[in-house]
Amino acid sequence: MTSVNDDAFRAGLDNFRTLQADQQPVWPDAGKLAAAVDTLGGVAPLVIPQETETLTQRLAAAGRGKAFLLQGGDCAETFAEANADRIRNKIRTILQMAVVLTHGASMPIVKMGRMAGQYAKPRSSNEETRDGVTLPVYRGDMVNQFEFSEASRIPDPQRLVQGYNIAAATANIVRAYTQGGYADLRQVHEWNRGFMENPAYKRYESTAAEIDRAIRFMDACGADFDQLRTVEFFVSHEALLLDYERAMVRMNPISGLPYDSSGHFLWIGERTRKIDGAHVDFLSRVSNPIGVKLGPTTTPDDALRLQEKLNPQGIEGRLTFITRMGAGKIRSALPALAEKVTREGSPVTWVTDPMHGNTITSASGYKTRRFDDVLDEVQGFFEVHEAVGSIPGGLHCELTGDDVTEVLGGSEEIFDDTLALRYETLVDPRLNHQQSLEMAFHVAEMLQKFGESRAS
Ligand code: PEP
Ligand code: MN
């Protein structure tokens, strides 16, 4: 009889503690941290192993060009906004986008939120100075508070437990919205018709009309099956806080392998993907499907070494590379990576994050992105994969279901001087509801073209 701890030891789950762990908060009270970790070690998992295995299969299909991933949500979820309205709006937006993409791709869309755990952020500086006062930087609600005061910015380990509880409530309502009838395809289609009533979106009319005809055809045939009424929806976040992620590891009783029960899919950020670092080591030892963000400085050898370390058995769907190069760099930086990985590496699923390489500061001082740059990076992503013969497997976006004004452009154009109207994000700018749908129409077109050129 072996205990969970023996198993954990065998799996080397704590090996990361001997390695460099970047972007970790300095918890001032070790006793409080130990208590929080102890609590988390006994809580119910947020996801079960079978679901993570299903997701691995879905991502494998995306890697083969038989499905397409849509992953979206806030840059940083906040505890205060973990309410039914905000969560429902986000789900609705993702579902609406997914319908448009399904039509463009003629393939299943794998739906995933940056939700129920996206509460910790890597930052470019450890400190923030305002009016001569310097305090620890805000690292996400799971670490400290955004408010600029000394007490608010002290990292508090109790926030790990609070984060778990809020993630559990979020995951619960996500399951309700996606399983309980709200996500019925015909309902989602009605929402898209509402969107199309705005003359600003006239250019998408023909695609919208085709989707409409397809749904009416299905209805006329009397089609009514479970897949129309419910959707499979996964949750994901950046596995940044190793104290939290380690505490959420559970053993899969069937395979005996450890999995991280904090979310279905976990990714390693651009700032913590060092091959010898703690994050890569830790995630190499859990069986969830995982992602790594790859920025423009990634070399083909970096990518290969990550594959060897994170997916030594070459399991399809296990590893996703999320490229975030920037519109100006994707066409020059991605080809060498995609070529080498395709030629020499094991299977990976390629996803584009057209957000993080395109962040700018506007003239008025807001951290923002241009809608056109975002689209251009996705376009470049498709072009490169088509040229290389690799597969564009998904789209990773920062978005919200609300009418915020954080990203410049779109047909209902947001200008620099309108950013201030509803700029609500605490970290990175998000596409608003309408910009997200507009993006889906563009990406659907790219998917359709890609599919046609593959078939010919
Ligand atoms: C993020 O996804 O919010 C993020 C910080 O991304 P990256 O690691 O790609 O910079
Ligand atoms: Mn971000």
Side-chain angles (χ1 to χ4, degrees), residues 75 114 121-122 238 267 269-271 293 324 356 398:
C75 177
R114 284 175 64 115
K121 299 308 299 172
E238 176 174 350
W267 76 85
E270 161 73 0
R271 292 180 182 80
K293 294 277 204 94
R324 32 86 86 219
H356 288 88
E398 286 185 343

Side-chain angles (χ1 to χ4, degrees), residues 59 62 69 71 265 320-324 349-353 381 385 391-396:
L59 292 170
L69 171 72
Q71 184 179 17
F265 177 88
T320 294
F321 279 155
I322 307 168
T323 58
R324 32 86 86 219
T349 303
W350 292 101
V351 167
T352 175
D353 162 0
F381 173 79
H385 285 297
I391 304 287
L395 173 67
H396 178 118

